[in-house]
């Protein structure tokens, strides 16, 4: 009985197997949605069964499936898994798309585009959504506070001016510390367009419309930047513009209006009553004992009788009825408007696509007179000429106008922002009619209101950027690409100063104009090959040759003496004509090789080598070799992480490399003869450059380790990095003996280190269909130290110094080195300094020793520099049913800043109360024995007791928090 049962069961089992054994074959191809190339290694399984197959090298597959099977599943790391019904089908071709969530953020690095999890370098990408609504004139301003380790400071208050950008600190003493800008894969020139008489600059980046930008990527470490060789040593900022997408033509019209005001008023200045009080007190303190003066009234009469300096202002002010003029309020342009209008269209099909736009921006400054305008046009077009040939062209043209440029960053008193500290408040801004600017007064400071009406000062810039390429697929997985790009900039600056009131009244008016034309050309040829082997191994190769040529033409003209108003061009000037022109150029030639290895999206390795030559160096020193290696491990892709459900992504990465810096002056390696001298009306030559044939690349070793993570269904993500960048062969000006006829020579000597940590965290605190709340925070530290400098003939370090800062081994870059302020002597109100006498080893003998004689004080290290030692930023995003609110902040600190105007505005004498206008802090001055204050007694004299001479009194903490934008 048991045998029969077993037999029946065996027959039943065989019957089932017989039914299941009825199969059919399905074949097809698997290709990439991005470029149509075959995808080997894709895993194919029958849903509900263990039957499976893997596509071969050509991306073809063949699989035997049961007749009862209904679905095939196609999967590969980094690609979106697809389930396809197979009933009644024998041939199925599958197109696989990238799984953006699996890859992480798609990062554009200029020479390549990869998923963030496929990179080994330290990068941060800012998307278009974060850029378009930010009310700024220049795209680089949008990055402030959004990238850990990047500091951005305004060099001018004029809209459209260049920003000072530093990525991971300062790494050079004399060469450039600016990052490289790359637009649509091509390096461009980021420079300022300005005339030499204008102290406000016009940034070439102000010509780019943020509405046309798809993303900005900041590359920071060697693995990310080494592809750009020497030019990437200070970091790389990659800008990608919008491209068309397949589909019906889509039109987009945006218009916005906003306004801005000064974020802070700065230190309060003295009003006219306070200024008079201090003036008369200074007269009493200086002359009271000798002339028996005891009251302010007696001091006033004495000053008038003796016609003391500055008293005439107070006489005129009393005659006018003692009006109170606030020059800071007079020059304000309250609620300064900003207008933006943009129209774009995009569309395409499977053969071609396009994107085109037209934009206009108009922005007024927060003080009177200044205006920034920009008109931009963009046309991007892509076409598939053949199944193997692709073409793309990107073109941008723009016109930018800075009107009434602020003359600042020097001792120039016509800047509206600082007028309240230099124009005496005793002088009315307007005549009695309240309309006509007052120019009839005794002070030598000019009325900026009149200058804004009668002077002409503007910067115009016309820019044309073009980038085109043809790409040809030679065979499967092998592509050739040829790129030609150029960047043409024409800058026109004009500065006319009227003949009635202002700097040129003695010359009866003057006019100055410059033309600056720059042309940058880049030509690239490259080969890209992808090798897939053993199912899940992929290696991408790139070989590239790049040639870059830059040319610049400059011309200026000047003239004085205009016979009537309304004539503003040099042609109409009657005397003192002057003109000059110049030309400069340089070239770079580079050979680049890149290899990227990827195993199943888990293990990533990069190797980059670039050999780059620059015309800035002698022929036998022209080329430098720069390279990097990097590796990443996507731990979250491992099987043992499958049980950790809250971890969506976790990866570690490390990189090391060597890059360089060629930002040295043109022809610095050559011994030069100049021909610009004038000898009795004849041209003359003279030695103008000592030269150094051994001059070569400044280099740095850069290593970076870090990790990236995403948690809780990507609600929280972030990164952490530690970096160490050592610059060596520093380009340094080394002193020469005066018998050579030159003061210094540029040599490769010295070293400097920058190191620190960077972290970023983004969190979606609330994520629903109707309401979302998100926060982002980033923070970075920076430790800078000079480790080696050139030595003199006796073997001692050659210290680089000025009256405020010094560069020395063991200290930070240009650390503050000043006489140390000790406050005010409470017994007599006189200023004091620490003596800081030092022994042979540099140790202070008596740290408590004080002196009232400025000349007896010795300069010492302040322990701080002007470089922030920490920086960061944060943002908040709230949206509710289509209504949103965004705010961003930027913070920096750990450094000290200098108040360069202190000898005008902090003077306890006539600079503050008789000539210019001091800060209200002077009201806290010392008045009687026992007073504890930091402000010395008021005295009638210029810089009495040298209280405002250079010392640590002018240093203040640089820590600040700025609300960057709210939209």
């Amino acid at each position: 009985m048991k045998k029969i049962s077993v037999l029946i069961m065996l027959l039943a089992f065989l019957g089932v197997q017989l039914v299941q054994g009825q199969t059919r074959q399905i074949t097809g191809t698997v290709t990439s949605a991005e470029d149509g190339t075959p995808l080997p290694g894709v895993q194919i399984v029958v849903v509900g069964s263990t039957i499976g197959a893997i596509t071969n090298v050509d991306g073809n597959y063949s699989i035997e499936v049961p007749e009862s099977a209904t679905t095939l599943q196609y999967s590969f790391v980094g690609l979106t898994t697809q389930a396809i019904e197979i009933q009644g089908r024998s041939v199925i071709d599958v197109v696989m798309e990238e799984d953006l969530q699996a890859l992480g953020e798609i990062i554009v690095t200029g020479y390549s585009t990869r998923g963030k999890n496929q990179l080994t370098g330290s990068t941060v990408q800012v998307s278009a959504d974060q850029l378009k609504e930010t009310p700024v004139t220049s795209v680089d301003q949008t990055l402030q506070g959004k990238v850990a380790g990047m500091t951005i400071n305004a060099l001018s208050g004029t809209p459209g001016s260049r920003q000072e950008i530093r990525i991971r600190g300062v790494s050079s003493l004399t060469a450039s510390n600016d990052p490289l800008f790359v637009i649509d894969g091509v390096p461009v020139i980021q420079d300022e367009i300005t005339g030499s008489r204008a102290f406000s600059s016009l940034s070439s980046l102000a010509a780019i419309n943020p509405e046309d930008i798809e993303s900005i990527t900041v590359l920071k470490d060697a693995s990310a930047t080494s592809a750009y060789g020497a030019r990437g040593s200070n970091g790389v900022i990659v800008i990608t513009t919008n491209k068309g997408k397949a589909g019906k033509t889509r039109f987009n019209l945006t218009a916005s209006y906003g306004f801005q005001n000064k974020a802070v008023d700065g230190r309060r200045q003295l009003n006219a009553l306070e200024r008079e009080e201090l003036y008369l007190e200074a007269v009493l303190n200086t002359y009271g004992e000798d002339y028996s003066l005891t009251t302010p009234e007696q001091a006033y009469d004495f000053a008038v009788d003796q016609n003391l300096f500055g008293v005439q202002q107070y006489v005129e002010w009393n005659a006018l009825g003692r009006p109170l003029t606030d020059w800071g309020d007079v020059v304000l342009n309250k609620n300064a408007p900003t207008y933006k209008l943009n129209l774009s269209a995009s569309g395409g099909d499977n053969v071609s696509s396009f994107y085109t736009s037209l934009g206009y921006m108009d922005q007024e400054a927060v003080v009177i007179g200044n205006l920034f305008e920009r008109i931009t046009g963009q046309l991007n077009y892509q076409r598939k000429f053949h199944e193997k040939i692709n073409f793309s062209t990107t073109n941008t043209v723009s016109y930018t106008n800075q009107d009434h440029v602020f003359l600042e960053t020097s001792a120039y008193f016509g800047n509206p922002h600082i007028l309240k500290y230099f124009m005496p408040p005793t002088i009315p801004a307007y005549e009695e009619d309240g309309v006509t600017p007052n120019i009839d007064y005794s002070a030598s400071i000019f009325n900026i209101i009149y200058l804004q009406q009668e002077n002409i000062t503007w910067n115009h810039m016309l820019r044309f950027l073009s980038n085109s390429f043809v790409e040809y697929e030679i065979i499967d997985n092998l592509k050739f690409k040829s790129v030609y790009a150029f960047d043409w900039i024409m800058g026109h600056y004009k500065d006319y100063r009227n003949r009635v009131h202002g700097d040129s009244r003695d010359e009866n008016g003057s006019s100055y104009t410059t033309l600056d034309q720059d042309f940058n050309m880049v030509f690239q040829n490259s080969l890209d090959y992808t090798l897939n082997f053993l199912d899940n191994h992929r290696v991408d190769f790139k070989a590239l040759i790049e040639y870059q040529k830059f040319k610049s033409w400059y011309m200026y003209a000047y003239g004085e003496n205009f016979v009537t108003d309304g004539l503003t061009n040099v042609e109409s000037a009657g005397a003192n004509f002057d003109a000059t022109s110049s030309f400069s150029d340089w070239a770079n030639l580079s050979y680049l090789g890149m290899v990227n290895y990827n195993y199943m999206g888990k293990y990533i390795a990069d190797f980059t080598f670039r050999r780059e030559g620059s015309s800035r160096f002698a022929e036998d020193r022209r080329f430098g070799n720069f390279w990097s290696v990097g590796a990443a491990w996507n731990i979250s892709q491992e099987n043992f992480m499958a049980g950790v459900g809250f971890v969506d992504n976790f990866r570690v990465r490390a990189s090391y490399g060597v890059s360089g810096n060629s930002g040295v002056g043109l022809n610095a390696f050559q011994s030069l003869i100049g021909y610009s001298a004038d000898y009795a009306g004849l041209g003359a030559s003279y030695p103008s450059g000592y030269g150094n044939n051994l001059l070569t690349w400044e280099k740095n070793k850069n290593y970076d380790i870090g990790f990236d993570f995403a948690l809780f269904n990507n609600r929280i993500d972030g990164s952490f990095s530690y970096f160490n960048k050592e610059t060596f062969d520093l380009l340094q000006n080394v002193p020469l003996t005066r018998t050579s006829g030159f003061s210094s020579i540029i040599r490769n000597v010295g070293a400097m280190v920058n190191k620190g940590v960077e972290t970023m965290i983004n969190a979606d605190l609330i994520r629903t269909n109707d309401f979302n709340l998100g926060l982002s925070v980033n923070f970075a530290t920076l430790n800078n130290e000079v480790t080696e400098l050139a030595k003199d003939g006796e073997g001692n370090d050659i210290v680089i110094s000025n009256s405020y800062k010094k560069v020395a081994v063991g200290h930070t870059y240009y650390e503050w080195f000043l006489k140390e302020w000790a406050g005010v002597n409470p017994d007599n109100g006189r200023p004091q300094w620490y003596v800081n006498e030092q022994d042979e080893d540099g140790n202070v003998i008596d740290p408590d020793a004080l002196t009232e004689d400025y000349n007896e004080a010795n300069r010492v290290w302040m322990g701080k520099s002007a470089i922030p030692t920490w920086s960061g930023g944060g943002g908040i995003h709230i949206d509710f049913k289509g209504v949103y609110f965004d705010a961003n902040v930027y913070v920096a600190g750990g450094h000290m800043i200098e108040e360069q105007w202190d000898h005008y505005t902090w003077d306890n004498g006539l600079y503050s109360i008789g000539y210019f206008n001091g800060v209200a802090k002077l009201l806290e001055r010392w008045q009687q024995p026992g007073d504890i204050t930091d402000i010395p007694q008021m005295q009638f004299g210029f810089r009495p007791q040298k209280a405002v001479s250079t010392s640590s009194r002018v240093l203040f903490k640089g820590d600040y928090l700025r609300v960057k934008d709210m939209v």
Side-chain angles (χ1 to χ4, degrees):
M1 193 68 170
K2 290 183 179 180
K3 293 182 178 179
I4 296 175
S5 299
V6 172
L7 180 62
I8 293 174
M9 293 174 64
L10 179 61
L11 290 174
F13 175 76
L14 292 174
V16 172
Q17 292 300 307
L18 203 62
V19 173
Q20 289 185 342
Q22 297 177 5
T23 63
R24 58 192 179 93
Q25 186 179 51
I26 294 180
T27 61
T29 60
V30 183
T31 57
S32 166
E34 181 180 2
D35 52 16
T37 58
L39 289 176
V42 175
Q43 189 175 45
I44 308 165
V45 297
V46 178
V47 176
S49 173
T50 59
I51 298 175
I54 296 178
T55 61
N56 61 23
V57 176
D58 298 324
N60 299 310
Y61 73 92
S62 176
I63 185 172
E64 294 286 335
V65 302
E67 284 288 352
S68 59
T70 60
T71 307
L72 285 181
Q73 179 175 285
Y74 301 77
S75 62
F76 188 78
V77 174
L79 302 177
T80 302
T81 299
Q82 296 188 43
I84 298 178
E85 294 184 359
I86 61 175
Q87 293 173 331
R89 304 173 67 180
S90 60
V91 178
I92 301 176
D93 295 328
V94 180
V95 179
M96 303 287 286
E97 296 184 348
E98 288 182 323
D99 185 349
L100 299 185
Q101 185 170 346
L103 290 176
E105 191 177 4
I106 299 300
I107 303 295
V108 180
T109 63
Y111 288 123
S112 63
T113 300
R114 295 180 189 153
K116 187 171 183 178
N117 283 358
Q118 296 176 330
L119 295 174
T120 63
S122 179
T123 64
V124 176
Q125 184 161 287
V126 181
S127 66
D129 293 337
Q130 297 172 277
L131 300 172
K132 292 181 179 179
E133 301 302 329
T134 306
V136 295
T137 56
S138 182
V139 294
D140 50 339
Q141 294 174 299
T142 64
L143 298 174
Q144 190 179 52
K146 293 183 174 66
V147 180
M150 172 186 281
T151 59
I152 301 179
N153 297 305
L155 297 177
S156 167
T158 305
S161 294
R162 188 172 68 89
Q163 310 291 298
E164 180 186 74
I165 302 175
R166 298 292 179 261
I167 299 175
R168 293 183 168 179
V170 173
S171 57
S172 179
L173 297 178
T174 59
S176 172
N177 285 293
D178 294 331
L180 172 70
F181 280 81
V182 176
I183 299 180
D184 290 323
V186 177
V188 299
I189 301 301
Q190 192 272 325
D191 210 343
E192 58 185 51
I193 307 301
T194 180
S196 62
R197 211 165 82 164
F199 302 109
S200 290
S201 62
L202 175 58
S203 170
S204 57
L205 290 178
I208 300 174
N209 184 359
E211 294 284 340
D212 292 330
I213 294 177
E214 182 176 328
S215 67
I216 299 179
T217 306
V218 180
L219 314 180
K220 296 188 283 189
D221 72 329
S223 178
T225 65
S226 59
Y228 295 97
R231 293 166 302 171
S233 63
N234 297 316
V236 181
I237 298 178
V238 179
I239 299 175
T240 304
T241 60
N242 292 325
K243 303 295 187 294
K245 295 178 175 60
K248 294 182 179 180
T249 300
R250 296 177 295 275
F251 292 92
N252 184 37
L253 175 64
T254 62
S256 65
Y257 168 83
F259 62 88
Q260 58 180 341
N261 289 294
K262 290 186 66 174
V264 293
D265 291 329
R267 297 188 184 276
R268 185 177 77 82
Q269 74 277 20
L270 295 170
N271 62 39
L273 295 173
E274 294 165 340
R275 188 170 181 267
E276 181 193 45
E277 176 188 347
L278 295 181
Y279 180 89
L280 297 178
E281 185 176 312
V283 173
L284 288 172
N285 291 336
T286 304
Y287 299 103
E289 185 175 347
D290 293 338
Y291 293 91
S292 301
L293 307 176
T294 59
T295 66
E297 292 76 17
Q298 290 175 338
Y300 179 81
D301 293 339
F302 174 81
V304 173
D305 182 61
Q306 298 294 319
N307 194 26
L308 295 182
F309 180 87
V311 73
Q312 191 59 37
Q313 296 176 29
Y314 296 100
V315 172
E316 295 174 1
W317 177 56
N318 280 292
L320 292 172
R322 300 168 66 86
L324 299 178
T325 303
D326 184 346
W327 284 96
D329 186 65
V330 165
V331 298
L332 275 185
N333 182 21
K334 296 179 181 178
N335 300 324
T338 298
Y339 307 90
K340 290 174 65 177
L341 182 65
N342 289 277
L343 174 64
S344 65
S346 65
D349 51 32
N350 58 356
V351 176
S352 63
S353 62
F354 74 94
Y355 171 86
T356 185
S357 71
L358 181 65
Y360 174 74
M361 180 179 185
D362 182 303
Q363 178 180 352
E364 294 183 18
V366 295
V367 290
I368 61 174
N370 186 261
L371 175 70
F372 176 85
E373 290 181 293
R374 179 178 62 219
I375 302 174
T376 59
Q378 180 101 1
L379 176 60
N380 298 346
Y381 178 72
Q382 297 80 39
R383 185 171 180 83
K384 201 174 188 68
F385 287 155
H386 183 270
E387 63 179 7
K388 292 181 176 291
I389 301 176
N390 293 315
F391 170 77
S392 175
T393 182
T394 301
N395 303 277
T396 302
V397 62
S398 63
Y399 170 75
T400 306
N401 172 32
Q402 276 181 323
D403 198 7
H404 280 93
V405 176
F406 299 156
L407 304 181
E408 54 192 4
T409 71
S410 76
Y412 187 85
F413 303 120
N415 180 355
H417 283 293
I418 59 175
L419 194 65
K420 64 181 181 180
Y421 300 115
F422 294 98
M423 180 65 85
T426 54
I427 298 174
Y430 297 95
E431 295 184 2
E432 293 183 0
D433 61 8
V435 177
T436 306
N438 174 30
I439 60 175
D440 184 19
Y441 50 81
S442 58
S444 61
I445 307 302
F446 307 122
N447 190 336
I448 191 64
I449 303 172
Y450 184 88
L451 299 184
Q452 292 283 33
Q453 293 178 1
E454 301 299 327
N455 289 356
I456 298 174
T457 310
W458 45 246
N459 262 330
H460 294 175
M461 177 173 63
L462 182 64
R463 184 174 195 178
F464 183 24
L465 262 169
S466 181
N467 172 14
S468 302
F469 73 79
V470 175
E471 184 179 68
Y472 173 60
E473 184 179 12
I474 302 172
I475 58 174
D476 289 346
N477 298 327
L478 178 63
K479 294 180 180 180
F480 170 77
K481 185 176 182 180
S482 185
V483 179
Y484 176 74
F486 68 84
D487 183 6
W488 179 83
I489 298 176
M490 172 65 81
H492 183 194
Y493 168 73
K494 181 175 180 178
D495 181 9
Y496 165 77
R497 300 181 184 180
N498 75 87
R499 59 200 191 100
V500 176
H501 182 72
D503 288 320
S504 293
R505 60 185 177 184
D506 294 337
E507 292 81 24
N508 203 31
S510 68
S511 186
Y512 178 101
T513 189
T514 68
L515 287 175
D516 186 355
Q517 183 180 185
D518 297 332
F519 182 77
N520 178 49
M521 178 192 71
V522 178
F523 186 55
Q524 296 173 352
N525 285 322
S526 62
L527 284 171
D528 289 86
Y529 180 67
T530 299
L531 173 65
N532 295 278
F533 61 97
L534 299 178
D535 298 335
N536 291 313
H537 297 266
R538 172 172 173 163
V539 184
D540 292 303
F541 301 90
K542 177 185 282 289
L544 179 143
I545 182 171
E546 178 181 274
Y547 175 73
Q548 181 176 10
K549 180 72 173 181
F550 175 79
K551 298 180 180 181
S552 179
W553 296 264
Y554 177 81
M555 180 173 61
Y556 96 92
Y558 173 81
E560 298 173 350
N561 193 4
F562 291 86
V563 297
T564 186
D565 295 335
L567 303 177
T568 63
N569 294 316
V570 176
E571 177 190 37
S572 303
N576 294 330
F577 289 101
D578 189 19
T580 190
S581 65
S582 63
F583 169 78
S584 62
D585 67 339
W586 54 263
N588 271 22
L589 177 64
S590 305
Y591 305 93
L592 171 67
M594 301 176 66
V595 180
N596 175 261
Y597 169 76
N598 185 328
Y599 174 67
M600 295 186 67
K602 297 180 181 179
Y603 314 116
I604 313 295
D606 275 321
F607 176 74
T608 302
F609 177 82
R610 184 175 183 120
R611 180 166 174 79
E612 183 167 352
S614 172
S615 63
R616 296 174 184 266
F617 305 116
E619 287 189 17
D620 58 343
R621 300 276 177 164
R622 189 153 289 174
F623 279 88
N625 298 322
F626 311 105
W627 56 270
S628 74
V629 292
W633 179 21
N634 292 316
I635 300 175
S636 54
Q637 298 286 344
E638 297 288 358
N639 293 333
F640 62 77
M641 291 292 293
V644 188
F646 67 92
V647 177
D648 303 299
N649 182 41
F650 183 72
R651 65 193 304 264
V652 294
R653 49 181 167 75
S655 66
Y656 179 80
V658 175
S659 59
N661 193 338
S662 61
V664 67
L666 298 179
N667 306 313
F669 71 94
Q670 293 179 305
S671 298
L672 300 175
I673 298 294
Y675 294 90
S676 58
D678 184 339
Y679 184 76
L682 299 175
S685 62
Y686 59 95
S688 62
Y690 190 84
N692 179 7
N693 286 328
L694 300 179
L695 198 65
T696 188
W697 302 85
E698 191 174 85
K699 307 175 187 69
N700 64 63
K701 303 172 185 176
N702 191 344
Y703 68 81
D704 180 285
I705 57 175
F707 61 85
D708 308 303
F709 64 89
L711 309 173
F712 305 112
N713 196 25
N714 292 299
R715 284 179 176 267
I716 300 175
D717 67 84
S719 64
F720 174 87
S721 297
Y722 169 79
F723 68 90
N724 185 303
K725 181 167 69 172
E726 178 188 357
T727 307
F728 59 101
D729 285 346
L730 280 172
L731 293 164
Q732 183 180 343
N733 288 311
V734 179
L736 283 174
T737 172
R738 290 289 183 176
T739 58
S740 68
F742 296 89
S743 61
S744 64
I745 180 176
I746 298 180
R747 292 177 52 198
N748 289 100
V749 61
M752 182 191 302
V753 174
N754 287 280
K755 54 189 174 181
V757 297
E758 300 170 348
T759 183
M760 297 182 66
I761 298 177
N762 305 302
D764 290 338
L765 302 181
I766 301 176
R767 185 194 295 171
T768 67
N769 291 331
D770 294 329
F771 180 72
N772 295 281
L773 171 62
L775 294 175
S776 63
V777 178
N778 67 78
F779 183 79
T781 65
L782 178 67
N783 181 14
N784 171 274
E785 182 182 354
V786 177
T787 57
E788 182 186 349
L789 288 174
K791 296 184 181 296
D792 59 21
E794 298 180 355
N796 299 315
D797 291 334
I798 298 175
V799 177
I800 305 170
S801 64
N802 57 33
S803 59
Y804 300 96
K805 308 175 204 173
K806 189 158 73 169
V807 177
V809 172
H811 294 272
T812 60
Y813 170 83
Y814 276 117
E815 186 174 322
W816 296 110
F817 187 73
L818 300 166
K819 297 188 177 188
E820 189 175 5
W821 173 253
V824 174
N825 188 332
D827 297 328
N828 57 23
R830 295 179 63 87
Q832 299 180 121
W833 297 267
Y834 288 101
V835 176
N836 284 324
E837 184 181 357
Q838 302 167 35
D839 59 24
E840 294 181 355
D841 297 327
N843 300 314
V844 175
I845 297 174
D846 183 0
D848 297 321
L850 302 177
T851 180
E852 294 179 1
D853 185 347
Y854 176 82
N855 296 321
E856 291 181 354
N858 295 284
R859 294 199 295 161
V860 292
W861 295 104
M862 295 291 107
K864 297 282 187 178
S865 77
I867 304 173
T869 59
W870 56 266
S871 62
I876 182 172
H877 170 83
I878 303 173
D879 67 74
F880 177 70
K881 293 187 176 181
V883 179
Y884 68 90
F885 170 80
D886 287 279
N888 294 281
V889 298
Y890 174 69
V891 296
H895 61 302
M896 300 192 79
I897 58 175
E898 173 197 0
E899 172 59 77
Q900 289 190 343
W901 300 102
D902 71 295
H903 54 282
Y904 298 117
T905 61
W906 286 77
D907 183 34
N908 58 318
L910 291 176
Y911 274 126
S912 296
I913 55 178
Y915 199 79
F916 305 113
N917 189 33
V919 295
K921 186 76 173 176
L922 293 174
L923 296 173
E924 300 176 15
R925 76 284 187 195
W926 184 94
Q927 292 180 284
Q928 60 186 1
D931 285 350
I932 305 299
T933 179
D934 204 40
I935 306 298
Q937 182 190 51
M938 300 302 298
Q939 293 285 323
F940 197 89
F942 291 98
R943 298 190 183 184
Q945 301 139 3
K946 296 187 177 181
V948 291
S949 295
T950 304
S951 74
S952 62
R953 186 189 184 195
V954 306
L955 294 184
F956 299 91
K957 286 186 176 181
D959 305 3
Y960 74 97
L961 181 149
R962 178 186 181 188
V963 179
K964 182 69 177 96
D965 46 65
M966 291 191 295
V967 292

